[in-house]
């Protein structure tokens, strides 16, 4: 399969049961190489390649995108983690 592969992936990472260390990550990759990533702890996009640096600068200037991504740790990560964790604990 010749061609190109682009992917955007969202992750919620945590290790404590109170979710106090919850981090929301949004990564963008091209042909399996990550070129830019948003990290809710850092609070902005970071470019990991020359192209990624340009994209990160562009995205970081968009206040609507930045506010949404910063809120995603509370609106997406914590509720889903609580739901998933309670499902697992209830089955144990």
């Amino acid at each position: 399969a010749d061609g190109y592969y682009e992917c955007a992936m969202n992750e919620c990472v945590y290790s404590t049961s109170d979710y106090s260390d919850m981090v929301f990550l949004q990564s963008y990759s091209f042909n399996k190489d990550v070129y830019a990533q948003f990290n809710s702890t850092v609070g902005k996009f970071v470019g990991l390649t020359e192209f990624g640096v340009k994209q990160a600068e562009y995205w970081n200037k968009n206040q609507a995108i930045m506010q949404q991504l910063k809120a995603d740790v509370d609106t997406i990560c914590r509720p889903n983690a609580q739901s998933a964790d309670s499902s697992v604990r209830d089955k144990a």
Side-chain angles (χ1 to χ4, degrees):
D2 294 333
Y4 299 103
Y5 174 81
E6 185 159 18
C7 178
M9 183 170 70
N10 295 332
E11 296 178 83
C12 299
V13 181
Y14 63 98
S15 61
T16 60
S17 60
D18 67 353
Y19 314 114
S20 60
D21 64 342
M22 181 78 67
V23 178
F24 175 71
L25 303 171
Q26 186 174 76
S27 303
Y28 290 88
S29 58
F30 181 76
N31 287 349
K32 299 183 183 178
D33 292 324
V34 177
Y35 63 85
Q37 183 179 64
F38 175 83
N39 181 319
S40 64
T41 303
V42 177
K44 66 179 184 176
F45 278 97
V46 175
L48 305 171
T49 66
E50 184 178 344
F51 174 71
V53 168
K54 292 176 184 175
Q55 286 299 113
E57 289 172 358
Y58 174 77
W59 289 327
N60 288 334
K61 290 178 186 175
N62 187 324
Q63 291 304 309
I65 289 174
M66 297 310 295
Q67 287 176 351
Q68 179 63 52
L69 289 170
K70 289 175 185 178
D72 282 346
V73 74
D74 293 316
T75 59
I76 294 174
C77 289
R78 282 194 181 92
N80 285 317
Q82 290 168 340
S83 176
D85 286 354
S86 68
S87 297
V88 171
R89 277 193 299 271
D90 292 345
K91 303 289 186 238

